[in-house]
Amino acid sequence: MKRKKAPPKTERRAFLNMIGKTVVSAGAMLGAGSLLDKKEAASAQSFPTADYDWTKHRWAFGVDATRCIGCLRCAEACKAENGTNPDAHHFRTWVERYVYLEGEERARVDSQADPQNIAAAGAEGVYRFDNRYKDEKVDKAFFVPKICNHCTHPACVQVCPTGATYKTKDGVVLIDEKYCIGCEYCVQACPYGARFFNTETQTSEKCTWCYHRITKGLQPACVEVCPVGARIFGDRNDPASPISEFIRNNRVSVLKPETGNAPNCFYIGIDKEVQ
Amino acid sequence: MEHVLNVSPYTGYVFPNETVFPWSVMIAVYPYMTGLVAGAFSVSSFYHVFGMQTYKPLARFALLTALSFMIFVPLPLLLHLGHPERAFNAMITPHWTSAFAAFGYFAAFYVCLLVLECFFVFREDNVARAKNATGLGKLFYGAVTLWSDDVSQKARTYDHKWLFVLAVIGVPAAHGLHGYVGFVFGSLKSREWWGSDLMPVIFLFSAVVSGFALLIVLHVVTSKFRKVPINLDCVRGLAGSLWGFLMFGVLLEGVEYANVIYKAREGIELILVFVSGPLFVPYFVLQFGIGAFLPIGILAFLIFGKVGGRTLVVGAVVSALLVLMSVFMMRWNVVIGGQMISKTLKGLLSYTPPLLGRESLLAAVFVMAAPFGLLWVLTQLFPPWDDADKQAMPKAADNEKMPLLAE
């Protein structure tokens, strides 16, 4: 009997459904303190929502570094939402502090993972910047949130020998943790240090822009919790979306443009020292 | 399961995720082993393809050495993988944009090629052994000859043709495999210390160098164990080639270093701190000074001073051991050194491999020792030495092949 070919949309939905189940079940497994409550996790079996079409979106991220106050609620929310290892060596997102002291030409840089900041916070799972510059004469200082750039030409996807990490049609770089062999070539290839090795799953891990949330019309956790609107997220296909307006209304830049990766995380208010 | 993190201390600013080194000592061992394979195969090919008589006594032994190492090449990679049981995913669904997607195919092809070449090289001897042996031995040698006992002139000519073809394919394959390993590192733009067009060529030359050095050491050691005189012509020939290739290798690495320093791109201040600080001893002292310049000097003295006898043997072995150390340091300085420079170009990390565990120093020692164990077993099963043949099978000496090009 000649097998009838399923219409592409059904195939796509089945595929998305599979991804959804993978991501959500992983999230559910790891998700102590998850923003998703249990009820939501159970209903998320149908993830992504039946009416989600990944060809209709083009997600992008914006960072207004002039607004960031270094409160690190983003880092905390990200860890909670995604069940990432709470220690100081695994971050899907982090914040860098750049400080120019008077008379110094180069910035002093640290992040919440700095041992001094951890000591001030009291534990690795608590994220805080210490007050080390209180007695110094600071010339200029600012914070820069960092996250996976979900590049248009991602070096991490290029080097993956199995295709376990891939770019979705809506512009997000994801990892299939059930297929990843854990070679960490992608961790090496990312110029931004956005990837790390998950010692529990023994696979690579990185920011997904909270794919399980954005496909339901929600914002990524870090964007949701930012009290000052330093993180902007949206659909570039929608000219009225916050990210489209952010890119239209500002002179935006990207990190390490010379790599040719063409990041989709757009910055304003950063300085030459920011890599 | 509790996983112990090997967290690296650092100075300056590094990205938070960089404090755990992605690639460990195993990834330094891996190119070292592929290099030895390519080098050993070169020695074998010098006789089998180019007909250089000097290397004749070592040609078959070099082939077994290449095979022994090649079989274990995937081991350090498997020990590194988070999911070694999924390793074949890369072969089932290769993602062709990855510089590593073809490794499985390359490696498998090359193992097959080596096995096939060994089959033809040892076929005649194995036929004789199958005839003389009884019981299990007969069965074994019968099996490795595929129960074909035709050693007529016609059959031997046929063998030689195959051998030549395989060796001709093998030379670019071995060097391709190793140049490819260099590309795995050199093609990464994220690491200032790696992203270089010269990397594949540098890997290639250091590979050839390491193979020659290994065979000098193995030839002397096996001769001592077998209580046969060391073939001085062979040692002199190997020493000469080692000297020549070493000069090129050092030159290339010098050019590479000069490029990084002279171009002085962003992060040069950090690189200068790096090479004059943590990398000074492993790079300038061990890799270049003691590991390359010193043996170049010793070898030049041995070759041009027309030194012979014990001095030649001791000098060549000492040089070879230094070169083997130097090439390992080169792998270490590339793989580990490259990761010591933070992607922020604002900080330096340090790495100390754990003593125990899957990716530890102890595991690396075992991985490096395993091919020698296999080589010992193979030399017992298939003695590659001419004099052993003479003892076991008087006729074998008469059948000794002429260099293939001379046919």
Side-chain angles (χ1 to χ4, degrees):
Chain A
M1 199 177 88
K2 206 173 181 182
R3 190 187 281 181
K4 205 174 175 182
K5 204 179 172 189
K9 201 167 182 183
T10 317
E11 275 182 4
R12 185 174 60 231
R13 279 191 186 149
F15 175 61
L16 284 172
N17 209 359
M18 191 186 73
I19 300 171
K21 279 178 187 165
T22 310
V23 174
V24 169
S25 56
M29 272 194 308
L30 300 168
S34 169
L35 289 188
L36 278 174
D37 62 29
K38 280 180 184 168
K39 206 173 153 191
E40 250 185 332
S43 69
Q45 291 299 318
S46 64
F47 165 86
T49 48
D51 55 349
Y52 184 76
D53 182 349
W54 70 355
T55 60
K56 298 240 163 69
H57 304 275
R58 188 158 57 108
W59 303 114
F61 203 97
V63 171
D64 185 348
T66 60
R67 287 175 177 239
C68 181
I69 56 172
C71 70
L72 292 163
R73 291 315 103 213
C74 47
E76 193 178 289
C78 173
K79 290 246 186 183
E81 176 66 22
N82 297 295
T84 311
N85 188 328
D87 73 12
H89 312 284
H90 302 84
F91 289 97
R92 290 179 175 215
T93 186
W94 67 95
V95 178
E96 292 169 352
R97 170 169 66 178
Y98 291 75
V99 176
Y100 288 84
L101 297 182
E102 271 186 15
E104 290 187 356
E105 288 197 359
R106 303 294 300 265
R108 297 181 179 211
V109 193
D110 65 325
S111 74
Q112 78 271 16
D114 184 272
Q116 275 192 57
N117 292 333
I118 292 165
E124 284 195 4
V126 183
Y127 313 109
R128 194 163 299 160
F129 282 104
D130 70 351
N131 206 2
R132 72 183 73 173
Y133 300 112
K134 66 180 176 190
D135 298 325
E136 306 278 355
K137 289 193 169 171
V138 175
D139 202 27
K140 176 166 84 169
F142 55 92
F143 293 102
V144 179
K146 289 283 189 78
I147 196 165
C148 169
N149 286 288
H150 295 272
C151 307
T152 302
H153 307 298
C156 53
V157 171
Q158 182 188 31
V159 301
C160 177
T162 62
T165 186
Y166 57 98
K167 196 158 171 70
T168 60
K169 289 188 177 169
D170 45 4
V172 183
V173 176
L174 295 179
I175 302 166
D176 181 348
E177 66 171 41
K178 290 208 166 84
Y179 207 69
C180 171
I181 61 175
C183 67
E184 295 181 76
Y185 202 3
C186 57
V187 180
Q188 294 288 8
C190 174
Y192 306 103
R195 285 177 172 246
F196 55 88
F197 191 65
N198 182 329
T199 48
E200 290 300 319
T201 61
Q202 293 283 303
T203 57
S204 289
E205 186 183 330
K206 64 179 274 296
C207 158
T208 61
W209 277 344
C210 287
Y211 200 65
H212 56 290
R213 291 172 59 85
I214 60 172
T215 49
K216 289 198 191 98
L218 300 169
Q219 294 276 295
C222 59
V223 177
E224 184 89 32
V225 299
C226 181
V228 291
R231 290 172 180 249
I232 299 106
F233 184 79
D235 185 354
R236 290 193 73 184
N237 282 351
D238 173 9
S241 71
I243 190 66
S244 295
E245 289 193 351
F246 177 76
I247 293 169
R248 188 184 311 123
N249 296 335
N250 294 288
R251 271 76 165 160
V252 294
S253 59
V254 292
L255 300 175
K256 300 189 180 181
E258 72 282 1
T259 58
N261 281 16
N264 285 301
C265 187
F266 300 92
Y267 282 82
I268 61 169
I270 56 172
D271 181 270
K272 65 180 173 58
E273 291 274 328
V274 180
Q275 287 280 349
Chain B
M1 194 175 135
E2 192 64 33
H3 296 280
V4 183
L5 275 186
N6 189 24
V7 174
S8 303
Y10 62 89
T11 55
Y13 177 64
V14 306
F15 288 131
N17 294 331
E18 283 189 294
T19 46
V20 183
F21 267 47
W23 285 353
S24 67
V25 59
M26 283 301 162
I27 307 298
V29 167
Y30 154 68
Y32 190 54
M33 286 172 65
T34 58
L36 292 172
V37 173
F41 192 84
S42 303
V43 176
S44 168
S45 305
F46 272 18
Y47 172 70
H48 283 132
V49 179
F50 303 109
M52 295 185 186
Q53 290 297 316
T54 321
Y55 301 101
K56 187 180 160 191
L58 270 179
R60 302 203 296 175
F61 179 68
L63 198 60
L64 288 186
T65 308
L67 179 65
S68 304
F69 275 86
M70 192 60 218
I71 284 173
F72 283 100
V73 157
L75 185 61
L77 292 178
L78 289 172
L79 284 168
H80 166 71
L81 290 187
H83 283 279
E85 79 283 3
R86 296 180 190 168
F88 282 106
N89 285 7
M91 288 179 85
I92 301 164
T93 55
H95 186 234
W96 292 116
T97 60
S98 169
F100 216 77
F103 172 75
Y105 294 108
F106 267 28
F109 167 77
Y110 196 59
V111 168
C112 293
L113 188 132
L114 283 170
V115 169
L116 209 57
E117 189 161 343
C118 285
F119 169 78
F120 284 113
V121 163
F122 290 100
R123 201 181 74 84
E124 209 178 311
D125 293 354
N126 287 338
V127 167
R129 285 189 195 104
K131 276 186 182 158
N132 297 336
T134 51
L136 269 181
K138 197 171 186 68
L139 187 72
F140 174 75
Y141 287 110
V144 295
T145 54
L146 300 176
W147 291 281
S148 154
D149 58 357
D150 183 2
V151 283
S152 64
Q153 186 58 43
K154 193 183 163 199
R156 280 190 283 143
T157 313
Y158 186 72
D159 284 357
H160 289 186
K161 270 185 191 158
W162 264 100
L163 251 179
F164 181 69
V165 169
L166 287 171
V168 167
I169 300 170
V171 173
H175 296 108
L177 180 73
H178 199 67
Y180 169 68
V181 173
F183 184 76
V184 166
F185 295 99
S187 61
L188 278 192
K189 53 194 171 189
S190 58
R191 296 241 178 246
E192 186 63 21
W193 198 241
W194 290 351
S196 158
D197 303 340
L198 276 178
M199 203 60 99
V201 196
I202 290 177
F203 265 70
L204 206 52
F205 268 87
S206 58
V208 174
V209 161
S210 68
F212 276 88
L214 178 68
L215 280 161
I216 290 177
V217 177
L218 284 179
H219 176 60
V220 172
V221 170
T222 51
S223 299
K224 286 276 174 204
F225 267 102
R226 293 165 53 236
K227 296 190 173 58
V228 295
I230 297 162
N231 186 327
L232 292 181
D233 283 343
C234 197
V235 172
R236 193 174 285 112
L238 285 169
S241 301
L242 179 61
W243 180 78
F245 283 113
L246 193 54
M247 299 268 275
F248 269 111
V250 170
L251 182 73
L252 282 169
E253 285 181 47
V255 169
E256 161 74 9
Y257 177 72
N259 253 301
V260 171
I261 300 303
Y262 199 81
K263 280 179 184 163
R265 286 189 288 233
E266 192 175 3
I268 184 66
E269 295 96 338
L270 186 77
I271 287 175
L272 289 174
V273 172
F274 178 55
V275 293
S276 58
L279 207 65
F280 186 77
V281 171
Y283 192 59
F284 291 114
V285 177
L286 295 178
Q287 186 187 329
F288 279 103
I290 302 175
F293 292 125
L294 183 60
I296 285 176
I298 298 175
L299 290 168
F301 167 72
L302 296 178
I303 299 158
F304 301 110
K306 306 243 185 296
V307 178
R310 196 177 163 76
T311 318
L312 171 68
V313 173
V314 172
V317 169
V318 168
S319 303
L321 287 172
L322 289 175
V323 168
L324 284 170
M325 180 276 294
S326 170
V327 174
F328 182 76
M329 286 318 297
M330 181 262 174
R331 310 297 191 240
W332 177 272
N333 292 334
V334 169
V335 176
I336 303 299
Q339 297 175 86
M340 287 169 76
I341 303 172
S342 168
K343 290 170 181 174
T344 60
L345 296 177
K346 294 180 196 307
L348 291 176
L349 293 127
S350 58
Y351 172 75
T352 314
L355 284 176
L356 298 171
R358 203 172 67 177
E359 292 193 73
S360 62
L361 273 183
L362 189 68
V365 169
F366 274 110
V367 168
M368 278 309 299
F372 291 103
L374 179 62
L375 180 60
W376 182 80
V377 173
L378 289 178
T379 53
Q380 297 303 306
L381 292 173
F382 312 106
W385 295 286
D386 295 349
D387 52 289
D389 290 340
K390 277 174 204 159
Q391 286 160 14
M393 293 163 296
K395 277 186 182 170
D398 306 330
N399 297 338
E400 201 41 72
K401 299 107 198 155
M402 289 299 290
L404 293 156
L405 273 187
E407 280 180 1

